[in-house]
Amino acid sequence: MRKDNLNDIKSDYKYGFHDEEKLLFKSEQGLSEKTVQQISWMKKEPEWMLEKRMEGYRFFMGKPMPNWGDTAFLSQIRFDDIYYYLKPTEKAETSWEMVPENIKNTFEKLGIPEAERKFLAGVTAQYDSEAVYHRINEELQKQGVIFLDMDAGLREFPDVIKRYFGTVIPASDNKFAALNTAVWSGGSFVYVPKGAQVTMPLQAYFRINAKNAGQFERTLIIAEEGSKVHYIEGCTAPNYASDSLHSAVVELVAMPGSHIRYTTIQNWSNNVFNLVTKRAVAQQDSIVEWVDGNLGSKLTMKYPGVYLVGKGARGDILSCAMAGAGQHQDAGAKLVFAAPYTSGTIVSKSISKDGGRASYRGLVKVHPQAHDVKVNVRCDALLLDDKSRSDTYPTMEIDSQRVAVEHEASVSKIGEEQLFYLMSRGLKETEAVTLVVNGFFEQFTRELPLEYAVELNRLIQLEMEGSVG
């Protein structure tokens, strides 16, 4: 990115702008049974979904806050200040021209329509609680691929949703999964039929606009036998003095021989609590890949997982996190082996700067029936100054024989010799540090489609501005 552009947007966070609120409906502040029922009624949902929502509501109200992780940050969440449902438009449009002007301008600033034209097989754009635009490539439709926002998925394919909803992540899983079950809105429903190959990515983009907003999208992806799909999601929010809450649930179902890659580039403003539950079930000889990038937010707690339940299944999780001032990126991964001849890798990269804190929290569990398992875990942390902090909390529960487990971890700082070498070749100190940081994340960025890798490098460059000297 050119230097003059950097100066134009040097305010810490490029996407911190917001629009005037023009909502069709805004729920009362705080969570209540009435709000949960109101959401279900407005969406004209079947009775069974209302029952699931109420079950989630009861679990949420009955479960205490987590007593692990960053409890100091968690205690700052003011649930009574949050708006749990904000309806921006009457429906999701399939023509970009029909999207309200103010919302359209926001997404154009974010580059979404351009990305759709150039790189995507389909896109959903969500604004506050609901999708405002949705489109899928006609060729994919002919193959029987379904890509809808979750509300439309429930309306058009209620039996499929009923069969899988909450089977990978039930409402009782944790407090925030329960909250999502109670007030979910938007998200994506993807169904890839047997043998279909989705070669271009599908993308969903989530934008919070309103102050004190809660965004609770729900995503369900089902890849039938021998199929393949790549799904990408991105997120941004405005800067406000008060906090917002993002608590999504993502469930992936990989049938035998299928391949799901799920890529996330989250770039929240620093007033967002980002508490997300993501999990996949991998059947025989299937592959599930999580590629998970975390920038921004006040507190992120997110541990994508793969349950390998079929012989020969594979789960790979690659994550990167950057924590700046006032931020805690508590990210990690889970691999649970419940079948023989399964394998998996976890690679975690984190950078802490300006007093930020990054944590790796991971679980590898091998059940007794899962023999001949191979798993490799690698965690690398880079500290850019003496004020920042990095923690690693790995847990391994191995209850089987013939298991090969490897774990490597490293914490490093940028060496004076590295900087001297780069600066002696004409680079300024910030440029030299940014080059090292980009190199550190290279294993992650090379897994992204080219345009996304370029964008991530730009974001890192912006994050590094002013962090040295």
Side-chain angles (χ1 to χ4, degrees):
M1 178 175 281
R2 296 195 313 272
K3 186 71 180 173
D4 53 343
N5 287 346
L6 277 175
N7 288 333
D8 288 341
I9 49 180
K10 202 166 175 179
S11 60
D12 307 321
Y13 181 60
K14 179 180 175 183
Y15 307 105
F17 63 90
H18 67 271
D19 301 328
E20 181 187 349
E21 284 185 29
K22 293 180 180 177
L23 296 161
L24 296 184
F25 176 79
K26 187 176 186 179
S27 66
E28 293 176 359
Q29 237 169 344
L31 184 62
S32 65
E33 279 193 36
K34 178 187 167 188
T35 298
V36 175
Q37 290 167 346
Q38 206 166 29
I39 293 171
S40 189
W41 179 78
M42 290 185 72
K43 292 175 180 291
K44 298 182 176 61
E45 292 177 344
E47 188 65 24
W48 64 264
M49 181 54 79
L50 175 59
E51 288 172 9
K52 283 194 176 292
R53 287 185 182 276
M54 293 309 297
E55 180 187 39
Y57 174 75
R58 288 190 290 273
F59 275 122
F60 174 74
M61 298 302 285
K63 277 184 179 287
M65 287 291 278
N67 58 6
W68 52 274
D70 198 324
T71 52
F73 262 149
L74 285 172
S75 67
Q76 293 176 20
I77 302 175
R78 301 286 175 257
F79 290 105
D80 290 341
D81 291 345
I82 300 294
Y83 293 97
Y84 288 85
Y85 181 52
L86 304 102
K87 186 176 176 63
T89 59
E90 196 55 53
K91 62 175 183 170
E93 301 291 350
T94 54
S95 163
W96 186 242
E97 301 307 315
M98 298 299 289
V99 175
E101 202 64 29
N102 61 321
I103 298 176
K104 197 161 56 179
N105 288 341
T106 292
F107 282 104
E108 282 175 351
K109 283 183 195 173
L110 299 169
I112 306 307
E114 183 183 0
E116 181 199 355
R117 285 193 293 271
K118 289 185 178 176
F119 318 110
L120 301 171
V123 66
T124 286
Q126 179 163 335
Y127 191 84
D128 286 331
S129 295
E130 293 197 337
V132 294
Y133 174 66
H134 176 82
R135 194 161 177 275
I136 182 172
N137 183 298
E138 289 180 6
E139 287 303 313
L140 289 179
Q141 284 181 305
K142 288 177 185 172
Q143 290 183 54
V145 176
I146 299 166
F147 177 40
L148 295 169
D149 67 89
M150 193 66 173
D151 298 287
L154 179 59
R155 284 194 302 272
E156 297 181 28
F157 301 94
D159 293 341
V160 181
I161 302 290
K162 188 176 183 180
R163 183 176 173 190
Y164 289 103
F165 187 97
T167 57
V168 182
I169 303 172
S172 58
D173 191 84
N174 65 74
K175 190 171 181 69
F176 295 99
L179 176 62
N180 178 282
T181 305
V183 295
W184 74 268
S185 185
S188 298
F189 170 56
V190 178
Y191 177 84
V192 188
K194 185 177 179 179
Q197 306 290 303
V198 183
T199 54
M200 293 174 72
L202 305 173
Q203 174 169 307
Y205 199 91
F206 301 96
R207 173 73 179 174
I208 292 175
N209 179 65
K211 194 176 179 182
N212 294 114
Q215 192 172 66
F216 308 97
E217 78 268 19
R218 184 96 186 190
T219 292
L220 172 63
I221 298 177
I222 302 156
E224 290 287 5
E225 189 173 342
S227 66
K228 183 175 183 179
V229 64
H230 184 188
Y231 176 92
I232 296 180
E233 66 171 4
C235 330
T236 57
N239 277 318
Y240 287 118
S242 57
D243 296 325
S244 297
L245 175 60
H246 173 251
S247 189
V249 164
V250 176
E251 299 178 286
L252 308 184
V253 180
M255 294 300 187
S258 63
H259 185 169
I260 301 176
R261 170 174 277 212
Y262 193 110
T263 299
T264 302
I265 303 292
Q266 293 197 330
N267 184 25
W268 296 113
S269 52
N270 291 356
N271 57 304
V272 175
F273 286 98
N274 183 34
L275 308 166
V276 173
T277 310
K278 293 183 168 180
R279 191 174 303 154
V281 170
Q283 301 284 355
Q284 184 171 340
D285 296 323
S286 64
I287 300 170
V288 174
E289 298 172 288
W290 295 102
V291 181
D292 196 67
N294 298 290
L295 294 91
S297 87
K298 177 179 279 188
L299 170 66
T300 289
M301 294 178 75
K302 177 149 60 83
Y303 321 98
V306 184
Y307 281 56
L308 301 119
V309 301
K311 182 180 172 183
R314 195 178 95 206
D316 296 324
I317 303 167
L318 173 59
S319 73
C320 78
M322 177 174 273
Q327 289 180 278
H328 186 175
Q329 299 284 2
D330 193 331
K334 294 180 187 174
L335 285 175
V336 177
F337 297 86
Y341 304 104
T342 45
S343 61
T345 59
I346 295 173
V347 177
S348 169
K349 302 278 217 178
S350 70
I351 292 176
S352 306
K353 68 182 186 71
D354 302 329
R357 180 180 175 188
S359 302
Y360 166 76
R361 196 181 301 274
L363 170 67
V364 172
K365 183 173 179 61
V366 183
H367 286 277
Q369 70 272 26
H371 55 81
D372 293 283
V373 166
K374 293 180 182 176
V375 56
N376 180 278
V377 180
R378 179 166 185 89
C379 310
D380 296 322
L382 183 63
L383 295 170
L384 296 192
D385 53 59
D386 293 334
K387 300 180 293 182
S388 301
R389 173 175 168 180
S390 174
D391 317 277
T392 302
Y393 306 101
T395 300
M396 296 202 178
E397 299 174 4
I398 313 297
D399 297 322
S400 177
Q401 302 297 318
R402 291 165 40 199
V403 175
V405 180
E406 298 172 338
H407 181 96
E408 300 174 74
S410 71
V411 180
S412 57
K413 291 184 175 181
I414 295 179
E416 293 293 330
E417 289 181 3
Q418 273 179 301
L419 289 183
F420 177 79
Y421 176 83
L422 293 170
M423 292 170 69
S424 69
R425 274 140 183 84
L427 294 180
K428 294 176 182 174
E429 187 176 5
T430 303
E431 294 168 336
V433 173
T434 302
L435 193 64
V436 173
V437 167
N438 281 334
F440 183 77
F441 276 158
E442 193 267 343
Q443 189 174 358
F444 181 88
T445 50
R446 75 183 178 208
E447 294 298 327
L448 302 175
L450 179 61
E451 286 300 315
Y452 295 85
V454 169
E455 180 62 14
L456 182 65
N457 283 336
R458 285 176 178 166
L459 293 174
I460 290 170
Q461 199 169 2
L462 286 166
E463 289 281 335
M464 297 308 300
E465 276 289 297
S467 66
V468 176

